[in-house]
Amino acid sequence: MKNLSKNLLIAVFLLFAITAVFSLFVGVEETAPKTLTLSDLAAKINAGEVSRVVVNGEELKISLKDGTEVKSRKETETGFSETIVNYGVVPEKLQTMEISVEEPNGFKYWMGIIIPTLLPVILMLGLFWFIFRQAKTGANQAFSFGKANMKLWSGIGEKITFKDVAGLKEAKEELEEVVDFLKNPQKFLDMGAKIPRGVLLMGQPGTGKTLLARAVAGEGNVPFFHMSASEFVEMFVGVGASRVRDLFDTAKKAAPSIVFIDEIDAVGRERGTGLGGGHDEREQTLNQILVEMDGFERDTNVIIMAATNRPDVLDSALLRPGRFDRRVVLDMPDLNDREAILKIHAKGKPLDNVDIRAVAVRTPGFSGADLANLANEAAILAARSNRKKITQDDFFNSIEKVLLGPARKSRAITENEKQITAYHEAGHALVAAGLKDSDPVHKVTIISRGLAGGYTLKLPVEDRHLKTKGQFLADLAVALGGYVAETTIFHDVSTGSSSDLKYATEIANKLVTQYGMSEKLGPRTLGKNHEMIFLGREITAEKDYSEKTSEIIDEEVSRFIKKAFDMAKKTISVYREALDAIAKILVERETIEQEEFAALIKSFGIKQVVIR
Ligand code: ADP
Ligand code: MG
Ligand code: ZN
């Protein structure tokens, strides 16, 4: 008891001693509230964030519109308005706020004496409290690995909406429904509708997946919880799963809300394919995600969005109904989209008569991220040469920098590749147009979609449940159209045809072994396919025929392919001029839509051939 009081006495004495020393050094000016420089204040006034300024001699007390109080000082004897205008404030802005002058009074005088003596005491106590708390959390940290370090984007920073996302028209249309639901979930629940649960955004790096997910949150005005799946994998064993739990719990509390899992392929790869023992951290994390998604009540207003550029490696369990059953593809931007994206990123930058379209024309194969990068590089170039405005050449000169930059992951097309791709796609499109049994061409483009180079989109006129041999042959011929065009024009083949050839071979194989369309082998199936339904792909094919039959199958497959090849070759050589015309437009404008294509075909008098 005696000891304790003695210690206390010493402590109090020490405290007073420290306080006395402190008060010699600590003046009232350096203390809270926060002090702004005059140029910071000027910026805030210009941004319209200031509601009131009270001038007291040299001191300025500033009330911000968001309720916080800050301080500033003006050095000179000149009036406040005059001083601040010198710092670049627009005089009109001063009229939108309250300015008053206060004389020093008795209260202030006493405060000026009390605060310097009291403050060190408070500081000391604060320090003790801080140290104490540190020690406590230090001990706790060992148990809080599992706390998800989520990034919350709601209200903080600028809100992103669909307006900030250029192009991606189809993706936005599909997500409109999700936004609608977030805004008014009851409307959907009242109708007994199943709410969207998981949305998978697929697209190459830099196509705007993260941006679009944020825009959905912004449009729906809901909190956005962002997490990168690759972070899970780096964790200690068992931590990934608990982080997932944490993330979902937080999101549920904030519902309606969006959980965004970036790079989901990092955890969502087909299970059992992990190197070094299957049941690793990745797998546990994935399982936990599935458990959480399945455990949602019907009326939990949490939407899970995930992004990947490798949809092909995803575990099929992720894609099952009730999980990520909505898939949205984000295409690489074509000419018009690139122009729109550049415009968004050029906004607010001082341009010197820059023809944005011309920049777009020179940047095929650039992703949205590349274009954002490009606009930034152009601005940096202008600033470094001390110019006030960004010129056309700044943009052009930055193209190369972005192309060669280390951060680039996506694929840019060289002029030569553009020619080859244009003829390749023109080949597909022309053969499709020339064959009666083929579906009409909807769109031809040399801008890559998903993982393919360019593509030619054909859509059937009506819903079809049966497909004839003629139609299959037409498909085969169209698939080979790209290959034939390349060989005809360049007398060479590129790797761009490999997936076409694979497709053609698969189709031909099915014609022979599954549909009984080979005359030589007749109406029978060959081989037993064991489809592992739960993995969603063919695993094994068991032979149930002789070696001799096997040879005939090979022959027949080759015969179908040869026949289709001849059809494609004939169409392309007869309508060579049309092929050149289509390729030329593709080189110039990258995309041809249905109407234009149909008109073009008509102008060349192409008559459709029926294959037998
Ligand atoms: P991803 O997640 O697909 O890799 P991001 O969403 O991270 O791509 O895109 C990176 C940046 O590129 C965005 O922050 C944005 O500045 C720009 N960007 C990408 N696509 C677009 C677009 N369609 N419109 C406007 N900006 C885009
Ligand atoms: Mg991203
Ligand atoms: Zn092709």
Side-chain angles (χ1 to χ4, degrees):
M1 191 64 196
K2 229 182 188 164
N3 251 344
L4 190 74
S5 53
K6 201 170 138 195
N7 278 346
L8 242 155
L9 215 80
I10 292 172
V12 170
F13 176 77
L14 263 176
L15 217 79
F16 267 101
I18 294 168
T19 308
V21 175
F22 255 71
S23 60
L24 289 178
F25 298 106
V26 183
V28 70
E29 287 84 11
E30 275 84 22
T31 59
K34 207 177 133 206
T35 310
L36 285 183
T37 65
L38 278 176
S39 42
D40 283 346
L41 175 60
K44 284 216 182 321
I45 294 177
N46 274 339
E49 289 169 24
V50 176
S51 65
R52 205 166 93 103
V53 174
V54 179
V55 184
N56 185 340
E58 288 188 344
E59 274 186 54
L60 305 172
K61 274 196 281 177
I62 300 126
S63 313
L64 296 182
K65 288 212 172 117
D66 63 15
T68 47
E69 299 275 341
V70 286
K71 268 187 149 182
S72 186
R73 288 178 74 81
K74 68 181 175 71
E75 272 84 23
T76 54
E77 284 309 302
T78 31
F80 167 70
S81 307
E82 216 174 305
T83 313
I84 202 73
V85 167
N86 284 339
Y87 274 88
V89 164
V90 193
E92 284 80 45
K93 285 280 179 193
L94 290 178
Q95 265 130 52
T96 62
M97 52 188 253
E98 214 183 305
I99 301 172
S100 54
V101 178
E102 199 180 85
E103 291 305 321
N105 59 25
F107 176 70
K108 271 210 77 81
Y109 174 75
W110 280 109
M111 286 306 279
I113 290 175
I114 294 168
I115 289 179
T117 39
L118 219 57
L119 206 91
V121 179
I122 298 170
L123 274 179
M124 287 297 296
L125 288 177
L127 194 72
F128 277 131
W129 175 77
F130 181 73
I131 290 169
F132 178 68
R133 210 188 52 149
Q134 265 308 89
K136 215 173 110 178
T137 49
N140 268 355
Q141 231 139 46
F143 306 104
S144 60
F145 275 131
K147 281 271 174 276
N149 87 41
M150 281 160 295
K151 296 169 193 110
L152 174 63
W153 277 318
S154 58
I156 312 165
E158 82 279 47
K159 190 167 125 180
I160 287 185
T161 63
F162 281 165
K163 275 207 296 301
D164 302 301
V165 185
L168 301 175
K169 193 163 146 275
E170 285 146 40
K172 278 198 243 176
E173 270 168 19
E174 284 194 49
L175 291 171
E176 200 58 66
E177 191 184 308
V178 174
V179 172
D180 214 28
F181 166 75
L182 287 170
K183 277 188 184 156
N184 195 353
Q186 205 52 46
K187 185 172 85 182
F188 287 77
L189 291 171
D190 287 347
M191 298 304 290
K194 268 244 299 280
I195 58 171
R197 174 64 66 218
V199 181
L200 185 63
L201 304 177
M202 311 188 297
Q204 290 179 15
T207 42
K209 298 181 291 296
T210 311
L211 185 74
L212 196 57
R214 285 182 67 182
V216 171
E219 289 282 334
N221 214 0
V222 299
F224 180 78
F225 299 94
H226 172 280
M227 203 165 196
S228 175
S230 58
E231 287 170 22
F232 291 128
V233 187
E234 293 154 12
M235 300 275 83
F236 298 102
V237 176
V239 173
S242 82
R243 282 191 145 204
V244 170
R245 225 174 292 131
D246 215 53
L247 172 68
F248 279 77
D249 281 349
T250 315
K252 270 188 252 180
K253 276 182 206 131
S257 61
I258 288 183
V259 170
F260 179 61
I261 306 172
D262 210 348
E263 304 172 63
I264 193 160
D265 45 282
V267 295
R269 275 174 194 251
E270 187 114 61
R271 280 170 293 186
T273 56
L275 295 172
H279 60 281
D280 54 1
E281 188 57 18
R282 225 162 38 75
E283 209 158 284
Q284 286 183 23
T285 308
L286 172 61
N287 284 339
Q288 190 61 36
I289 292 175
L290 297 178
V291 166
E292 293 287 345
M293 289 184 80
D294 291 345
F296 276 140
E297 302 292 328
R298 200 182 76 92
D299 56 355
T300 310
N301 303 333
V302 178
I303 290 185
I304 322 297
M305 296 183 81
T308 181
N309 49 2
R310 298 291 314 275
D312 50 323
V313 301
L314 286 188
D315 194 300
S316 50
L318 272 172
L319 308 176
R320 244 180 265 153
R323 293 172 179 170
F324 291 100
D325 49 2
R326 307 233 167 173
R327 268 149 267 171
V328 176
V329 177
L330 284 77
D331 290 335
M332 287 292 267
D334 68 4
L335 182 55
N336 288 331
D337 292 347
R338 290 202 303 273
E339 187 181 358
I341 294 172
L342 280 167
K343 279 194 176 142
I344 283 186
H345 291 282
K347 216 187 318 175
K349 293 191 171 76
L351 300 188
D352 186 15
N353 253 328
V354 176
D355 180 358
I356 295 280
R357 178 89 179 172
V359 182
V361 167
R362 294 202 189 185
T363 47
F366 272 48
S367 70
D370 292 333
L371 294 167
N373 195 358
L374 174 66
N376 190 43
E377 289 293 342
I380 289 173
L381 215 58
R384 279 181 52 192
S385 31
N386 294 317
R387 274 180 275 107
K388 289 269 173 290
K389 287 190 165 174
I390 307 171
T391 64
Q392 186 88 56
D393 276 342
D394 288 330
F395 273 95
F396 285 163
N397 293 337
S398 304
I399 291 177
E400 207 167 292
K401 190 158 177 201
V402 174
L403 265 176
L404 301 174
R408 258 190 70 76
K409 283 182 229 115
S410 49
R411 201 173 62 105
I413 315 174
T414 65
E415 208 47 46
N416 186 30
E417 281 173 344
K418 202 169 165 180
Q419 284 282 342
I420 297 175
T421 316
Y423 267 102
H424 180 103
E425 293 308 324
H428 285 310
L430 180 62
V431 175
L435 299 179
K436 183 130 190 18
D437 281 326
S438 171
D439 301 323
V441 173
H442 258 238
K443 184 176 175 177
V444 196
T445 179
I446 56 170
I447 293 303
S448 64
R449 175 194 177 94
L451 301 167
Y455 70 102
T456 298
L457 181 66
K458 311 167 288 150
L459 287 179
V461 192
E462 67 229 353
D463 277 345
R464 204 167 34 196
H465 304 290
L466 298 172
K467 207 163 167 174
T468 64
K469 187 167 155 184
Q471 285 163 343
F472 272 121
L473 267 168
D475 269 5
L476 271 180
V478 172
L480 295 173
Y483 175 93
V484 173
E486 280 188 47
T487 46
T488 309
I489 304 298
F490 305 103
H491 306 290
D492 199 357
V493 196
S494 73
T495 52
S497 296
S498 75
S499 61
D500 291 335
L501 300 185
K502 185 162 173 245
Y503 171 80
T505 311
E506 266 166 27
I507 294 280
N509 213 309
K510 275 192 179 163
L511 294 191
V512 178
T513 61
Q514 286 180 35
Y515 305 137
M517 289 178 180
S518 145
E519 273 151 34
K520 207 161 181 183
L521 287 162
R524 66 162 288 193
T525 63
L526 296 151
K528 282 188 195 139
N529 284 325
H530 296 271
E531 297 218 6
M532 310 279 273
I533 302 298
F534 62 96
L535 284 176
R537 57 178 67 163
E538 262 172 41
I539 293 294
T540 51
E542 200 181 300
K543 265 190 178 181
D544 63 351
Y545 45 81
S546 67
E547 276 308 311
K548 196 165 148 256
T549 311
S550 173
E551 268 166 37
I552 303 177
I553 291 175
D554 278 347
E555 273 167 30
E556 286 295 281
V557 167
S558 296
R559 208 170 56 84
F560 271 120
I561 292 180
K562 178 78 174 57
K563 187 165 180 184
F565 179 86
D566 289 343
M567 282 316 304
K569 184 108 189 151
K570 191 170 161 204
T571 314
I572 281 176
S573 55
V574 171
Y575 298 116
R576 172 62 199 271
E577 278 165 24
L579 183 78
D580 290 334
I582 299 167
K584 185 155 172 280
I585 297 178
L586 286 176
V587 167
E588 278 164 15
R589 283 193 276 115
E590 296 168 14
T591 305
I592 309 179
E593 298 286 348
Q594 184 176 22
E595 297 78 24
E596 189 185 0
F597 186 78
L600 194 70
I601 289 305
K602 214 169 156 202
S603 74
F604 280 98
I606 292 179
K607 288 191 291 296
Q608 295 190 318
V609 182
V610 184
I611 319 177
R612 290 275 164 247

